[in-house]
Amino acid sequence: MPNSHKTMPKVGFGLWKIPKDICADAVYNAIKAGYRHLDSACDYGNEVQVGEGIKRAIDNGLCSREDLWVTSKLWNTYHAKEHVKPALEKTLVDLQLDYLDLYLIHFPIAQPFVDFDDRYPPEWITDTAVGKMELAPVPLFETWQAMEDLYQQGLVKQIGVCNYNSGLLHDLMSYAQTKPSVLQVESHPYLTQERLMRLAHQYELQVTAFSPLGALSYLELDMAGASESVLEQTAVKQAAKRLGKTAAQVVLRWGVQRGNAIIPKTSRPERLKENLDIFDFELTSQEMDEISALNSNRRFNDPGNFCEAAFNTFHPIYD
């Protein structure tokens, strides 16, 4: 069965790490600046505030619900089939919405259920007494079947996956009755993921690249070094100088010119507009190639690394 809906805007507003106290205003300001694509998740812990921002924007006539593309994600602790719909319903209540445009499996990792009343969002720790990350024996096909049920019920307009590798995509496509429409993965000039992008295209999957500016989102988490900024690379700076654009705009343009959607994150009003202003210029094929050549397979968001560091649990999902 096809999974069709309106077209996802190429630039979205990423909501990871937007603090609760400024989140509603940030969402409102993003919509006011022209954003119509919001990328949310249970795990970000700010969906109530996201919903407040959306409601205020709609009430003030900045947009209608139909104008918006709202994505959210199913967390690891809700993978069992009986927990998928309640998890979505919790997200819908928080966002003050009747449906999502897109619902994604956040990670191909299943963890034991944590009741909403015990802790929400549950994050990676299921045993808070010892700070332990635990796993649950829930196969991904069971979770996907529950996602398909949400689609059939009209609660979500499209379904998809995050952080899947090529092997998991092949497996998913072998049993999916409703095919995924979107693959969301980390991608930037240091992690181009050419083979995965090619496979996604082969399966007619739209790709959303998170962390499209690379290290910038990870400096404050000590998951990247200041010297790893792609914005300081010669290829990027030369293109920016030729075009009269910022280095960030060049990198974001590289992302969409590859055919991907991107979800940069910022709460600064001037950056909101700058990140959207990437459709009045093009990079040359040489500039595209030079920026792509910066690839070093540098992955900043890797649970195999951060779960071991934080919870002494080695659980890689990438080779």
Side-chain angles (χ1 to χ4, degrees), residues 24-75:
D25 286 340
V27 169
Y28 181 86
N29 289 332
I31 294 172
K32 188 174 183 180
Y35 286 82
R36 294 297 179 263
H37 173 182
L38 303 172
D39 186 81
S40 184
C42 152
D43 187 54
Y44 302 164
N46 56 13
E47 289 198 317
V48 168
Q49 291 74 29
V50 173
E52 291 169 359
I54 291 173
K55 184 177 187 303
R56 194 193 320 160
I58 292 173
D59 288 349
N60 288 359
L62 297 184
C63 66
S64 68
R65 167 64 184 99
E66 292 70 33
D67 292 332
L68 297 176
W69 177 287
V70 183
T71 296
S72 189
K73 307 177 189 79
L74 177 78
W75 187 241

Side-chain angles (χ1 to χ4, degrees), residues 142-179:
E142 176 183 315
T143 307
W144 187 256
Q145 287 171 342
M147 296 282 283
E148 291 178 324
D149 289 342
L150 302 178
Y151 171 73
Q152 295 287 351
Q153 294 167 45
L155 294 170
V156 298
K157 301 300 184 182
Q158 291 192 25
I159 50 178
V161 293
C162 295
N163 302 300
Y164 270 44
N165 59 29
S166 56
L168 289 178
L169 281 184
H170 288 310
D171 188 53
L172 172 58
M173 289 298 186
S174 73
Y175 59 73
Q177 298 298 305
T178 300
K179 302 297 184 186

Side-chain angles (χ1 to χ4, degrees), residues 41-278:
C42 152
D43 187 54
Y44 302 164
N46 56 13
E47 289 198 317
V48 168
Q49 291 74 29
V50 173
E52 291 169 359
I54 291 173
K55 184 177 187 303
R56 194 193 320 160
I58 292 173
D59 288 349
N60 288 359
L62 297 184
C63 66
S64 68
R65 167 64 184 99
E66 292 70 33
D67 292 332
L68 297 176
W69 177 287
V70 183
T71 296
S72 189
K73 307 177 189 79
L74 177 78
W75 187 241
N76 305 344
T77 52
Y78 311 127
H79 274 216
K81 58 187 176 185
E82 65 269 22
H83 298 140
V84 172
K85 186 175 180 181
L88 170 69
E89 290 172 335
K90 168 69 171 157
T91 276
L92 289 175
V93 168
D94 287 351
L95 293 174
Q96 302 185 53
L97 299 176
D98 297 324
Y99 68 90
L100 291 177
D101 298 278
L102 176 64
Y103 200 39
L104 303 169
I105 295 176
H106 203 149
F107 281 98
I109 299 171
Q111 296 185 259
F113 175 68
V114 176
D115 192 277
F116 301 146
D117 293 332
D118 291 343
R119 194 169 72 254
Y120 190 88
E123 302 181 315
W124 292 89
I125 305 169
T126 46
D127 186 343
T128 53
V130 294
K132 186 178 180 183
M133 174 191 168
E134 298 175 302
L135 301 171
V138 182
L140 286 168
F141 78 81
E142 176 183 315
T143 307
W144 187 256
Q145 287 171 342
M147 296 282 283
E148 291 178 324
D149 289 342
L150 302 178
Y151 171 73
Q152 295 287 351
Q153 294 167 45
L155 294 170
V156 298
K157 301 300 184 182
Q158 291 192 25
I159 50 178
V161 293
C162 295
N163 302 300
Y164 270 44
N165 59 29
S166 56
L168 289 178
L169 281 184
H170 288 310
D171 188 53
L172 172 58
M173 289 298 186
S174 73
Y175 59 73
Q177 298 298 305
T178 300
K179 302 297 184 186
S181 58
V182 175
L183 168 68
Q184 184 176 128
V185 291
E186 179 182 348
S187 190
H188 41 75
Y190 291 155
L191 185 69
T192 57
Q193 304 222 66
E194 298 290 351
R195 288 162 65 91
L196 187 60
M197 301 297 165
R198 184 177 170 188
L199 179 64
H201 181 74
Q202 189 172 302
Y203 278 132
E204 299 181 336
L205 283 165
Q206 169 70 60
V207 174
T208 299
F210 71 76
S211 303
L213 292 172
L216 295 188
S217 293
Y218 300 94
L219 295 174
E220 65 200 69
L221 302 176
D222 292 326
M223 293 165 68
S227 63
E228 295 186 277
S229 173
V230 71
L231 305 184
E232 297 303 318
Q233 289 287 349
T234 300
V236 173
K237 289 164 71 168
Q238 286 180 339
K241 183 177 180 181
R242 178 183 75 81
L243 292 158
K245 293 288 185 176
T246 67
Q249 286 174 313
V250 166
V251 174
L252 295 178
R253 176 67 202 185
W254 172 87
V256 299
Q257 206 165 310
R258 297 176 82 207
N260 296 340
I262 55 173
I263 44 173
K265 178 194 77 69
T266 184
S267 53
R268 293 165 58 185
E270 67 275 16
R271 287 275 189 262
L272 281 173
K273 293 180 179 177
E274 179 185 313
N275 290 349
L276 269 185
D277 187 22
I278 59 171

